[in-house]
Amino acid sequence: QVQLVESGGGLVPPGGSLRLSCAASGSIFRIYDMGWYRQAPGKERELVAAITRDEVTNYADSVKGRFTISRDDAENTVYLQMNSLKPEDTAVYYCNADIRYGPLSRRTSYWGKGTLVTVSS
């Protein structure tokens, strides 16, 4: 059983910063791609940022230059540093990771339950 648990969400004024964390726990052999998605009220879930095991990163155009994704494989954790936050960044942020729980297992995509980020004055 693998769990992803996000933390770090909250209320922040426009222009502020937040750092989200997502820790994977349980039976983990190897973690591959990790990413952050978000879903605003009434909208589809969208990719915010992703990072491969080789630390190649990919960002949504709307967050380029403001958000930075990173990972710590020793801690099975992925981070999202969010700077210069805007009201339109308000959403529930979800962590996603492709994980193998054993050397012969398939890669499986896991999701966290989400953490709410609200950007408002």
Side-chain angles (χ1 to χ4, degrees):
Q1 186 76 6
V2 174
Q3 284 189 319
L4 300 181
V5 179
E6 302 99 335
S7 61
L11 174 64
V12 61
S17 297
L18 280 176
R19 189 191 195 207
L20 305 183
S21 300
C22 172
S25 63
S27 179
I28 297 171
F29 172 72
R30 187 164 292 159
I31 302 178
Y32 296 89
D33 296 349
M34 304 183 83
W36 288 95
Y37 290 72
R38 67 187 181 188
Q39 187 167 18
K43 294 189 176 181
E44 299 278 324
R45 188 175 297 190
E46 63 176 357
L47 173 68
V48 176
I51 184 167
T52 70
R53 187 169 173 80
D54 296 328
E55 300 196 11
V56 175
T57 59
N58 179 41
Y59 295 93
D61 288 342
S62 60
V63 307
K64 282 181 181 176
R66 299 189 297 123
F67 291 9
T68 302
I69 189 170
S70 60
R71 61 190 288 167
D72 182 342
D73 288 333
E75 299 293 330
N76 290 335
T77 299
V78 62
Y79 303 97
L80 186 68
Q81 178 66 43
M82 305 186 294
N83 298 328
S84 303
L85 282 160
K86 304 175 181 180
E88 51 264 44
D89 294 317
T90 295
V92 177
Y93 284 70
Y94 297 91
C95 172
N96 174 260
D98 286 343
I99 297 173
R100 288 170 65 187
Y101 62 82
L104 300 180
S105 70
R106 294 181 178 181
R107 289 169 60 162
T108 301
S109 181
Y110 292 89
W111 291 89
K113 293 183 178 181
T115 185
L116 177 62
V117 172
T118 304
V119 184
S120 175
S121 54

